[in-house]
Amino acid sequence: MTHVPDTPLLDTVKIPADLRELQVSQLRQLADELRAETISAVSVTGGHLGAGLGVVELTTAIHYVFNTPDDRLIWDVGHQCYPHKILTGRRDRIRTLRTGGGLSGFTKRTESEYDPFGAAHSSTSISAALGFAVANKMAGKPGKAIAVIGDGAMSAGMAYEAMNNAQAAGNRLVVILNDNDMSIAPPVGGLSAYLSRLVSSSEYLGLRSLASKLAKRLSRRIHNAAAKAEEYARGMAMGGTLFEELGFYYVGPIDGHNLEQLIPVLENVRDNAEGPVLVHVVTQKGKGYAPAEAADDKYHGVVKFDVITGKQDKGPGGGPPAYQNVFGETLAKLADSDPTICAITAAMPSGTGVDKFALAHPDRSFDVGIAEQHGVTFAAGLAAQGMRPFCAIYSTFLQRAYDQVVHDVAIQNLPVRFAIDRAGLVGADGSTHAGAFDLAYLATLPNMVVMSPSDEAELVHMTYTAACHDSGPIAFRYPRGNGTGVALPAVPERLDIGKGRIVREGKKVAILSLGTRLAEALKAADTLDAKGLSTTVADLRFVKPLDENLIRHLIATHDVIITVEEASIGGLGAHVLTLASDLGLMDTGLKIRTMRLPDIFQEHDNPQKQYDEAGLNAPQIVETVLKALRHNSAGVEEAGVRA
């Protein structure tokens, strides 16, 4: 039964303009109701909870102080945007989060005017906010840009690249550093709050300006010394020296859950001419919900749960293991006997299975933070020095390091192993996290080997094969979620590079599968056989290099060739077509059809429905075969007679 909280004050707020009609004294109650509503909504839908709970007061304060949507509010990543969605006209749909046709789990421009910039990848907010701020400045329009970025996202170089360029925006840019890593945050208390309010005030800035003018009349040496003295005094008290060096006026740290501190500081920042400004706010992930506060991950990502107990509905246990865990555990076992194996991840140890490896081999596990570019080049350096690095990164995040894959790994032919998680469609996370493009962007590269397992047993073999492959870079891609339930091999097998396998023999139709569509290909073969169309199913294993001999054989002995892959155009189908064209194999009228993800960014939904929409399940494979046979023929039955 859904727990619906009592929210009399929140019920009066449909959009931020309504919020700004309230008294400051009412905001504490409003924030409490907003937190309760967020917990209730996510208990129904699942999703990202801890991050949103940590910014309830901050969300309330920003929308109260700034004139959104004219002032542009940009949330970095977007994990924390659910309270924002509730306050910006979407409360009536908040229980559709991450479901088909419902609200996105991230910010999305097409969803609301209060989402000026879509995000789901990290560390883009300051760059985007700078663009909004400078555009307004050039056009002579009012309006500030506020970027809210977490301390984790600040591990990415892009954030500092943006800050280094931010002086162009002047006081139109406000960066709020949401620091929820309490272990590194400076003490937050009365003195800190007082200093933050003081240094953001117009009185202080006025005195500062006057002192600066007076100092300029003195010698340059005295003027510079005075400026440095003030900078370091504030830096020592509040930790802002780095940001001052990057051109920001630093304010903080302040308690991000104390509205009596937040509101006046943000008002000062809004009204004063000093800028750009960085406001350092300290928050607690999972704040205000005891089960989240007690959990190690602060309920970062949850499935449906009971609000009263916090117990998550994880379904029946004992099912097949997740692909990521099969990879992590296999790699850990291989590393027991190979001291050169090491693992690198970019802030996703549990998401990639590297946490399993790290437990067994902590000295050979490296979480580089949200820094995929650095992670890939770091791996290249390790490989050049004789190590066997495995770079475990989601497909969609590896896109951020493409130049490093090309320039630092492939051109130098260094044996970096890429374990690419979240290949294909990913369900509720939608287009921003779907691994659609890795086959296209990796299989074009000289020196690169690219493979994809059809099940978790094959993933064990491919992990071992990658460990053994010292002659150049190698990549293997696998999906989100659980395996098929096949038995895992006790001893992994080293696969022959570029060799596929026949898993079902037939005569008329050949389905060439790459990855975990193999199960759907076998279902399709059952249906086709029942229609009198004898069907071969091949698990190609490799898209680069292709198994030329196997493909030649199948083309020579079958009337129709179907390729099936969980990737965009430019992958397996494109490479098979190119091979067939180069070798003249289509000159005799062979029918080849390629099945791949459609040329759209698919919306979030149940994965089965996503693959139905993509046309990559068994019924669509069957229909593709039948359409190919009907072309230049009187009918399927007639075609089947030749089988």
Side-chain angles (χ1 to χ4, degrees):
M1 180 175 156
T2 302
H3 179 271
V4 179
D6 186 29
T7 55
L9 199 54
L10 182 61
D11 293 345
T12 68
V13 176
K14 306 301 181 189
I15 57 173
D18 300 327
L19 173 65
R20 293 190 278 271
E21 295 296 317
L22 301 178
Q23 300 297 314
V24 172
S25 59
Q26 296 177 284
L27 296 185
R28 178 68 266 164
Q29 178 186 337
L30 182 101
D32 292 342
E33 293 179 10
L34 179 58
R35 177 170 279 108
E37 175 70 351
T38 301
I39 294 167
S40 173
V42 181
S43 77
V44 173
T45 65
H48 295 103
L49 180 62
L53 296 183
V55 297
V56 165
E57 288 82 6
L58 183 60
T59 304
T60 302
I62 291 170
H63 281 299
Y64 186 78
V65 170
F66 291 95
N67 187 34
T68 55
D70 293 335
D71 289 329
R72 301 299 205 169
L73 173 57
I74 300 167
W75 296 97
D76 209 281
V77 186
H79 289 154
Q80 71 280 59
C81 70
Y82 301 175
H84 160 79
K85 293 196 178 203
I86 292 169
L87 290 180
T88 54
R90 288 169 276 182
R91 185 184 181 189
D92 60 341
R93 291 180 289 152
I94 199 65
R95 288 168 179 79
T96 69
L97 275 166
R98 296 163 54 86
T99 60
L103 293 178
S104 168
F106 304 101
T107 52
K108 192 172 183 180
R109 277 174 58 82
T110 55
E111 195 175 282
S112 170
E113 64 178 334
Y114 292 93
D115 289 359
F117 202 78
H121 289 192
S122 169
S123 315
T124 61
S125 61
I126 304 176
S127 297
L130 180 59
F132 282 107
V134 171
N136 277 349
K137 181 180 177 181
M138 289 191 293
K141 293 180 180 177
K144 294 182 183 288
I146 306 104
V148 183
I149 183 167
D151 56 285
M154 290 290 280
S155 65
M158 185 175 176
Y160 297 94
E161 293 171 24
M163 285 194 289
N164 193 48
N165 188 223
Q167 281 186 303
N171 70 334
R172 294 171 181 266
L173 177 64
V174 177
V175 174
I176 298 175
L177 170 56
N178 175 36
D179 181 355
N180 58 31
D181 185 347
M182 297 299 286
S183 65
I184 64 167
V188 177
L191 177 60
S192 173
Y194 171 75
L195 288 171
S196 298
R197 186 168 178 176
L198 172 67
V199 301
S200 65
S201 68
S202 56
E203 292 85 355
Y204 176 85
L205 291 171
L207 284 171
R208 189 174 188 252
S209 175
L210 176 62
S212 177
K213 289 175 184 174
L214 288 171
K216 282 178 182 175
R217 296 181 179 275
L218 305 173
S219 73
R220 177 172 292 182
R221 199 173 85 179
I222 294 173
H223 170 247
N224 290 344
K228 284 292 182 187
E230 188 214 24
E231 175 190 331
Y232 285 110
R234 292 199 300 121
M236 282 188 287
M238 295 166 283
T241 301
L242 169 63
F243 302 114
E244 294 277 345
E245 292 293 339
L246 287 167
F248 278 80
Y249 185 77
Y250 174 89
V251 177
I254 57 175
D255 183 350
H257 302 296
N258 187 330
L259 288 161
E260 292 178 358
Q261 292 181 16
L262 276 175
I263 297 294
V265 168
L266 291 181
E267 287 176 339
N268 287 339
V269 167
R270 176 196 65 195
D271 296 337
N272 286 307
E274 190 84 20
V277 178
L278 185 136
V279 184
H280 182 178
V281 174
V282 177
T283 62
Q284 180 185 349
K285 198 170 182 180
K287 175 74 172 178
Y289 185 50
E293 291 182 5
D296 287 342
D297 68 348
K298 306 301 179 189
Y299 277 32
H300 171 74
V302 295
V303 294
K304 297 177 184 180
F305 63 93
D306 181 271
V307 171
I308 305 301
T309 65
K311 182 177 174 56
Q312 296 187 54
D313 180 16
K314 295 192 175 182
Y323 280 98
Q324 67 208 46
N325 293 335
V326 171
F327 160 70
E329 290 167 4
T330 301
L331 191 64
K333 288 177 186 175
L334 295 175
D336 288 342
S337 57
D338 185 346
T340 66
I341 288 177
C342 48
I344 297 146
T345 186
M348 299 298 293
S350 61
T352 58
V354 169
D355 59 339
K356 311 291 185 188
F357 181 90
L359 283 173
H361 306 284
D363 294 340
R364 287 187 269 156
S365 174
F366 304 95
D367 184 349
V368 299
I370 302 171
E372 291 84 1
Q373 291 174 293
H374 158 62
V376 170
T377 304
F378 171 47
L382 287 166
Q385 193 62 15
M387 298 298 286
R388 292 191 171 101
F390 279 75
C391 221
I393 298 177
Y394 289 8
S395 170
T396 186
F397 296 158
L398 189 59
Q399 293 163 186
R400 297 165 68 111
Y402 188 57
D403 182 61
Q404 287 67 35
V405 174
V406 177
H407 181 270
D408 299 338
V409 176
I411 288 177
Q412 301 188 97
N413 199 30
L414 289 168
V416 174
R417 289 87 175 158
F418 293 98
I420 304 173
D421 205 328
R422 271 48 171 188
L425 301 175
V426 293
D429 281 338
S431 60
T432 55
H433 284 60
F437 310 114
D438 52 79
L439 291 186
Y441 70 64
L442 291 176
T444 57
L445 298 179
N447 299 327
M448 184 69 72
V449 172
V450 184
M451 50 188 174
S452 187
S454 54
D455 57 38
E456 60 269 42
E458 284 283 295
L459 177 57
V460 172
H461 297 319
M462 290 185 182
T463 304
Y464 178 59
T465 301
C468 298
H469 186 76
D470 291 324
S471 59
I474 188 168
F476 50 105
R477 57 161 350 229
Y478 46 94
R480 176 183 187 173
N482 295 339
T484 62
V486 300
L488 296 178
V491 179
E493 172 189 347
R494 182 175 182 176
L495 304 178
D496 290 334
I497 299 298
K499 297 298 178 186
R501 60 177 179 144
I502 299 289
V503 294
R504 177 180 180 133
E505 288 273 8
K507 297 179 181 177
K508 186 171 188 63
V509 177
I511 302 174
L512 279 57
S513 176
L514 183 78
T516 56
R517 286 298 94 191
L518 181 65
E520 295 296 316
L522 289 168
K523 288 180 193 174
D526 286 338
T527 302
L528 291 167
D529 272 2
K531 293 179 180 292
L533 297 170
S534 177
T535 301
T536 294
V537 178
D539 176 14
L540 282 188
R541 285 176 163 158
F542 294 84
V543 65
K544 183 161 191 185
L546 284 174
D547 190 338
E548 183 177 320
N549 291 334
L550 177 60
I551 294 170
R552 274 177 175 270
H553 168 71
L554 294 176
I555 286 176
T557 55
H558 294 74
D559 292 351
V560 179
I561 301 292
I562 306 291
T563 68
V564 185
E565 62 193 302
E566 298 153 321
S568 70
I569 191 169
L572 173 68
H575 284 264
V576 170
L577 284 172
T578 300
L579 175 69
S581 172
D582 288 350
L583 299 177
L585 301 178
M586 295 190 294
D587 296 354
T588 58
L590 172 77
K591 297 182 175 107
I592 297 184
R593 301 290 185 270
T594 64
M595 300 185 69
R596 64 215 175 258
L597 294 177
D599 188 29
I600 60 172
F601 290 107
Q602 285 185 250
E603 298 290 344
H604 56 280
D605 207 335
N606 172 281
Q608 177 72 21
K609 291 181 181 177
Q610 285 186 316
Y611 279 113
D612 270 334
E613 180 189 350
L616 290 177
N617 286 327
Q620 294 95 354
I621 297 173
V622 170
E623 185 61 25
T624 300
V625 171
L626 298 182
K627 283 182 178 178
L629 286 169
R630 285 173 189 146
H631 186 65
N632 294 333
S633 67
V636 175
E637 292 76 12
E638 179 183 330
V641 171
R642 296 177 50 211

